[in-house]
């Protein structure tokens, strides 16, 4: 059981997906990818390859942010994959970004 | 998460995009990994960069990150004695130095040899822990001895990820960097532009002519300057000042004289100006005055809105700013005090000294917030002049002097005084072709402020000593005046 915290890198056990936790105010809920909990990348993330739930295969894109509607969770995709990212069973949506003007 | 993840993402997302001086993101990643192998074999405990800016700089930054050792860019303009002292803090460093530093660092590598080796050697893998210090940058030491600021991987990554969208730059975009490589902006510049996928153009020795030539020749779309550079650009004849491709121009690193930004807004109406306020200790920018803020303030009839043109803007996402009064408690808007900041990008840690503890970093800057959250900086606490029992912020007096069109530059300092403890003295530099009357300027300050804030003496110099990043060397000015 992995409780996410800001800055933690999570890796999928069903596909190539990796994310970093940018915002987390969802307590001890689980992040899943393709229907299976993601694990702390720092602890190896070499768990057995699980099958991908075909109903959870929306896929992710490199560098996109995935967030809950209420803004309590934000994950940044550092390696894309086929699975759907979800928190507490609710799929995350791509967060539309309004970038800051370049300041350096 | 560490800096190498940003590099890996860029190399995955836009491998063949040219990033800096002909290097693609993939070449940069491979060279950084090859460099990491060299560092691991040598047992280096840090990487010191003592050289002008160029492609060796980003390769060294990421090689150090890949090897899990801190990257330490040193100010090559410092004297030999100061450099020798700083180098003793980094025994076991792999040193990349320009040839002229050879006598000081005999076992160093030139930027050229570092690049040649890392671009031809096979990459190696090693992953650092994100809590390792990623970068150590020495403060400029204009008011006290230089301090080594520790920036951890998570500080810098938070800064980048918090403010930049991955791959958001178009393939035609190019950023011109002309701050020296030992400044925090040089480090953050490499990181944010890499992550955005924006090509970097480096100008090592700033001159207005060269800067303008490069903007036009390279089709530069984004640039960052310090205020002294913008002032010099505004002195160029209008016919030579065109910057057709420039979309945004960021400025920071020192206080912006009001007249300079007003002039720049008029000179370049199509450029989006971005005021950036930040410190080395905060991994660069913590507050931004964006292009819309500039336009709105400049066009407003409301004095409160108009004043924001000279503010530091509002905190960026993930950063909290509060003002504390002299008794240490938070003050309401409109009341000046000490600026404190909190957020994942804020380190506030120094080499050899414990961190702040409660997460809040005291910037030692003086400032206040307005009702919309715009931050106004009123100088450094350490620069405060104590004349009699009165605390006087030099910035307020400098503002009055700099408002005069015939004054090109001004600084106000405290000089030791038997009667007052400190007396107020000012140095002014005349604008091109102008002559200055110190008595008239004193009368102007008395009119605008009050008697006790009027400089006891104003002298006229040809130039005010500043660092390469535009910070006034106040100690040198005070010593010269007092001597």
């Amino acid at each position: 059981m992995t409780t996410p915290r800001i800055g933690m890198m999570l890796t999928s056990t069903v596909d190539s997906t990796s994310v970093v936790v940018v915002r987390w105010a969802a307590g001890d809920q689980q992040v899943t990818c393709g229907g299976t909990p993601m694990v702390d990348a720092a602890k190896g993330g070499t768990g057995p390859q699980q099958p991908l739930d075909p109903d959870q295969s929306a896929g992710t894109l490199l560098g996109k942010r995935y967030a809950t509607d209420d803004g309590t969770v934000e994950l940044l995709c550092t390696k894309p994959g086929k699975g759907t990212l979800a928190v507490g069973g609710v799929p995350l949506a791509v967060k539309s970004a309004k970038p800051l003007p370049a300041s350096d | 998460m560490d800096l190498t993840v940003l590099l890996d993402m860029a190399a995955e997302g836009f491998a063949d995009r040219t990033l800096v001086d002909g290097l693609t993101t993939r070449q940069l990643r491979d060279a950084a990994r090859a460099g990491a192998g060299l560092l691991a074999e040598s047992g280096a405990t840090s990487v010191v960069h003592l050289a002008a800016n160029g492609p060796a700089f980003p390769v060294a930054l990421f090689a150090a990150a890949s090897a899990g050792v801190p990257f330490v860019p040193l100010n090559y303009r410092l004297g030999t004695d100061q450099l020798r002292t700083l180098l003793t803090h980094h025994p076991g460093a792999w040193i990349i130095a320009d040839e002229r530093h050879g006598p000081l660092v005999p076992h160093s590598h030139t930027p050229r040899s570092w690049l040649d080796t890392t671009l031809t050697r096979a990459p190696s893998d090693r992953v650092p822990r994100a809590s390792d210090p990623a970068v150590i940058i020495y403060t400029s030491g204009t008011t006290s001895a230089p301090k080594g600021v520790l920036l951890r991987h998570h500080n810098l990554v938070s800064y980048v990820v918090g403010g930049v969208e991955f791959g958001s730059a178009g393939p035609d975009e190019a950023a011109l960097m002309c701050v020296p490589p030992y400044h925090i902006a040089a480090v953050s510049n490499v990181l944010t532009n890499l992550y955005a996928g924006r090509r970097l153009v480096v100008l090592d020795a700033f001159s207005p002519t060269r800067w303008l030539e490069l903007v036009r020749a390279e089709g530069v779309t984004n640039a960052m300057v310090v205020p002294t550079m913008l002032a010099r650009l505004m002195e160029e004849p209008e016919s030579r000042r065109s910057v057709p491709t420039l979309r945004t121009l960021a400025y920071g690193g020192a206080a912006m004289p009001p007249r300079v930004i007003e002039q720049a807004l008029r000179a370049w109406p199509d450029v989006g100006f971005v005021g950036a306020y930040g410190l080395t200790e905060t991994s660069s920018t913590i507050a931004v005055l964006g292009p819309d803020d500039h336009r709105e303030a400049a066009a407003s009839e409301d004095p409160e809105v108009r004043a924001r043109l000279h503010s530091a803007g509002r905190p960026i996402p993930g950063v909290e700013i509060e003002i504390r009064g002299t008794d240490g408690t938070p003050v309401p808007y409109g009341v000046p005090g000490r600026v404190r900041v909190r957020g994942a990008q804020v380190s506030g840690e120094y080499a050899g000294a414990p961190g702040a503890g409660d997460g809040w970093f005291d910037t030692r800057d003086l400032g206040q917030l307005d009702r919309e959250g715009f931050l106004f900086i009123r100088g450094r606490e350490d620069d405060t002049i104590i004349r009699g029992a009165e605390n006087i912020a030099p910035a307020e007096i400098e503002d009055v002097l700099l408002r005069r069109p015939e004054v090109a530059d001004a600084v106000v300092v405290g000089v030791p005084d038997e009667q007052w403890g400190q007396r107020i003295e000012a140095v002014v530099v005349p604008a091109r072709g102008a002559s200055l009357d110190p008595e008239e300027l004193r009368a102007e300050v008395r009119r605008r402020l009050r008697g006790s804030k009027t400089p006891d003496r104003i002298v006229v110099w040809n130039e005010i000593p500043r660092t390469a990043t535009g910070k006034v060397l106040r100690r040198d000015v005070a010593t010269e005046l007092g001597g």
Side-chain angles (χ1 to χ4, degrees):
Chain A
M1 172 105 181
T2 303
T3 302
R5 53 188 161 71
I6 292 170
M8 183 184 272
M9 210 157 189
L10 300 171
T11 187
S12 165
T13 59
V14 301
D15 66 1
S16 55
T17 310
S18 281
V19 298
V20 63
V21 181
V22 176
R23 183 168 305 159
W24 189 263
D28 56 3
Q29 294 204 66
Q30 288 277 295
V31 179
T32 56
C33 178
T36 307
M38 297 186 85
V39 297
D40 184 355
K43 291 184 180 145
T46 52
Q49 289 285 312
Q50 318 269 332
L52 172 73
D53 178 350
D55 293 336
Q56 299 253 358
S57 58
T60 47
L61 294 170
L62 178 66
K64 291 291 179 196
R65 300 158 193 269
Y66 292 83
T68 51
D69 286 344
D70 61 3
T72 53
V73 172
E74 185 177 321
L75 308 174
L76 173 71
C77 176
T78 57
K79 276 184 197 153
K82 293 191 178 118
T84 301
L85 294 172
V87 170
V90 181
L92 303 185
V94 173
K95 188 183 169 191
S96 55
K98 187 176 167 282
L100 290 171
S103 68
D104 50 27
Chain B
M1 185 169 173
D2 59 76
L3 294 181
T4 60
V5 177
L6 304 182
L7 180 59
D8 288 344
M9 287 172 74
E12 199 59 45
F14 27 88
D16 298 318
R17 201 177 274 195
T18 301
L19 206 78
V20 56
D21 278 298
L23 290 186
T24 63
T25 47
R26 185 193 284 125
Q27 284 175 313
L28 176 60
R29 181 191 55 187
D30 290 349
R33 287 187 180 172
L38 277 178
L39 296 173
E41 274 172 29
S42 74
T45 51
S46 63
V47 175
V48 163
H49 183 273
L50 182 57
N53 215 335
F57 179 81
V59 173
L61 168 65
F62 284 111
S66 303
V69 297
F71 177 65
V72 190
L74 290 183
N75 181 352
Y76 53 81
R77 291 184 170 93
L78 292 177
T80 307
D81 289 345
Q82 268 181 299
L83 278 176
R84 194 172 282 129
T85 306
L86 293 183
L87 286 165
T88 60
H89 300 159
H90 305 284
W94 179 284
I95 301 174
I96 298 165
D98 284 329
E99 269 164 38
R100 65 194 177 96
H101 296 295
L104 179 68
V105 280
H107 301 294
S108 60
H109 309 262
T110 63
R112 188 71 256 166
S113 71
W114 165 254
L115 265 187
D116 287 346
T117 313
T118 52
L119 285 171
T120 49
R121 191 186 145 104
S124 76
D125 262 327
R126 191 178 152 205
V127 180
R129 287 172 299 120
S131 60
D132 289 330
V135 176
I136 299 175
I137 293 182
Y138 286 89
T139 57
S140 57
T142 50
T143 48
S144 54
K147 284 185 283 191
V149 178
L150 298 186
L151 297 174
R152 297 188 183 275
H153 283 275
H154 76 87
N155 299 136
L156 291 165
V157 169
S158 298
Y159 173 65
V160 174
V161 169
V164 186
E165 277 309 299
F166 177 72
S168 56
D172 60 327
E173 291 188 24
L176 174 57
M177 178 169 68
C178 52
V179 294
Y182 50 84
H183 191 274
I184 177 61
V187 170
S188 58
N189 214 287
V190 165
L191 300 177
T192 54
N193 286 303
L194 166 86
Y195 193 71
R198 192 179 292 115
R199 183 165 62 93
L200 261 183
V201 179
V202 173
L203 169 59
D204 188 64
F206 175 85
S207 82
T209 315
R210 188 80 193 104
W211 191 92
L212 289 163
E213 277 170 8
L214 264 180
V215 168
R216 292 191 289 259
E218 297 278 347
V220 167
T221 52
N222 307 76
M224 190 252 166
V225 292
V226 299
T228 46
M229 293 173 184
L230 189 57
R232 290 180 63 193
L233 286 165
M234 287 302 115
E235 283 171 8
E236 287 293 292
E238 206 175 324
S239 58
R240 278 195 246 143
R241 230 168 32 195
S242 98
V243 284
T245 53
L246 194 64
R247 296 172 199 168
T248 69
L249 181 62
Y251 60 87
M256 173 61 81
R259 216 152 31 82
V260 175
I261 187 62
E262 286 166 10
Q263 194 185 356
L265 280 166
R266 284 193 302 270
W268 289 335
D270 298 328
V271 172
F273 287 87
V274 183
Y277 165 69
L279 297 89
T280 307
E281 292 90 333
T282 61
S283 308
S284 194
T285 309
I286 51 175
V288 159
L289 187 76
D292 293 342
D293 299 326
H294 279 84
R295 287 187 199 108
E296 200 182 316
S300 179
E301 300 286 324
D302 180 347
E304 191 175 333
V305 177
R306 209 177 154 74
R308 290 178 188 148
L309 186 55
H310 312 299
S311 76
R314 281 180 287 196
I316 62 174
V319 167
E320 291 172 84
I321 289 177
E322 65 165 27
I323 311 292
R324 294 250 171 158
T326 42
D327 61 355
T329 58
V331 296
Y333 71 79
V335 179
R338 285 259 279 258
V339 179
R340 306 207 323 155
V341 57
R342 182 163 74 171
Q345 70 181 72
V346 177
S347 124
E349 269 186 279
Y350 300 98
D358 66 351
W360 285 98
F361 170 67
D362 182 349
T363 63
R364 302 186 69 78
D365 277 342
L366 299 172
Q368 67 198 67
L369 293 163
D370 75 4
R371 71 182 80 204
E372 298 286 329
F374 285 81
L375 175 67
F376 291 77
I377 297 296
R378 306 292 188 209
R380 302 280 297 160
E381 169 91 59
D382 309 288
D383 299 339
T384 300
I385 301 166
I386 303 168
R387 184 182 190 273
E390 193 180 0
N391 286 5
I392 293 158
E396 195 183 1
I397 306 168
E398 287 161 6
D399 272 355
V400 173
L401 295 170
L402 285 166
R403 278 281 170 194
R404 302 280 295 208
E406 71 275 22
V407 175
D409 202 358
V411 59
V412 174
V413 295
V415 175
D417 184 272
E418 282 184 17
Q419 188 186 352
W420 296 101
Q422 279 185 311
R423 61 178 184 271
I424 309 170
E425 298 207 358
V427 176
V428 287
V429 176
R432 201 177 284 171
S435 68
L436 295 175
D437 176 356
E439 282 315 306
E440 205 179 297
L441 292 173
R442 289 185 66 222
E444 170 81 0
V445 177
R446 192 176 299 117
R447 210 160 34 237
R448 299 256 174 183
L449 302 171
R450 60 170 182 268
S452 65
K453 290 186 178 175
T454 303
D456 299 284
R457 183 169 73 126
I458 295 183
V459 298
V460 181
W461 289 1
N462 290 327
E463 196 183 3
I464 288 170
R466 287 176 182 271
T467 67
T469 51
K471 285 191 171 72
V472 177
L473 292 162
R474 288 176 187 272
R475 276 193 303 181
D476 295 8
V477 173
T479 306
E480 176 80 25
L481 290 172

